[in-house]
Amino acid sequence: MTALRCNVADLLHHQAARRPVHLETDGTDFGAVGGTRLDADPLVIDVVIERVPDGVVVRGTVQGVMTADCSRCLRPITRSFTWNVNELFESHPLEGQTYQLEGEEIDLELPIRDTVLLGLPLMPLCTTDCAGVCPQCGIDRNETTCSCNNNPTDARWDALSALTFDD
Ligand SMILES: [Zn+2]
């Protein structure tokens, strides 16, 4: 039994019944994608659980704080996020699309975990136009202009830009 398990018996017996649910849990339990992970700040889940013909729908938001190192300049990033949750729990779930209604209970852990893993950026950036670290001299180009700035692109990528692709 996890902290995010909810009994929905009251909803199952009334068509179109709905109930708001507010939960908080430790963000660090939710793993990491690459170097991006959730902060120890609580992960706050605000959803409405609603009875539908096939089971219950969970709609709302999950809010938290992520930390990472910028994938270009390696500076630490701390950023809050709000992601939407909109998931169906049913007795006979479709693999990868809906979640298991277990008798009169649902476990929000799996959909929240999926939402977090999909939401965390694979290549976090401190700013969208982060200039990154010079691949030649290692200087942080956000702070200073490096002596090799005449050729800011990494020569190792030249072969890639010369490639052409047929349809
Ligand atoms: Zn950066």
Side-chain angles (χ1 to χ4, degrees):
M1 172 132 176
T2 74
L4 300 185
R5 192 170 271 277
C6 298
N7 188 300
V8 293
D10 57 327
L11 300 177
L12 293 176
H13 301 302
H14 301 282
Q15 203 57 243
R18 48 161 62 201
R19 171 158 55 89
V21 170
H22 174 94
L23 294 166
E24 295 190 12
T25 187
D26 184 349
T28 54
D29 289 346
F30 282 81
V33 172
T36 310
R37 61 221 159 263
L38 293 192
D39 200 83
D41 284 28
L43 193 64
V44 179
I45 298 153
D46 271 306
V47 293
V48 172
I49 305 177
E50 182 173 1
R51 174 83 166 104
V52 293
D54 295 331
V56 294
V57 166
V58 175
R59 286 194 194 94
T61 58
V62 50
Q63 290 180 280
V65 178
M66 70 174 94
T67 58
D69 295 326
C70 175
S71 59
R72 288 188 195 150
C73 70
L74 304 180
R75 283 197 276 197
I77 305 168
T78 300
R79 193 167 291 159
S80 57
F81 60 82
T82 302
W83 293 320
N84 291 325
V85 177
N86 188 358
E87 303 295 350
L88 173 64
F89 287 78
E90 52 186 352
S91 302
H92 304 286
L94 298 170
E95 173 132 20
Q97 294 178 52
T98 61
Y99 294 90
Q100 181 74 52
L101 174 64
E102 303 163 49
E104 296 182 327
E105 289 191 340
I106 60 173
D107 189 350
L108 291 173
E109 180 169 341
L110 260 182
I112 298 300
R113 198 171 281 281
D114 289 349
T115 301
V116 167
L117 291 180
L118 283 173
L120 290 178
L122 282 171
M123 302 279 282
L125 294 175
C126 60
T127 58
T128 51
D129 58 351
C130 169
V133 171
C134 173
Q136 293 176 50
C137 67
I139 270 179
D140 183 346
R141 290 181 298 200
N142 292 306
E143 308 220 323
T144 178
T145 307
C146 72
S147 52
C148 35
N149 201 44
N150 296 333
N151 181 18
T153 53
D154 188 332
R156 288 174 292 180
W157 297 109
D158 288 356
L160 282 181
S161 44
L163 284 177
T164 56
F165 296 96
D166 299 325
D167 289 335

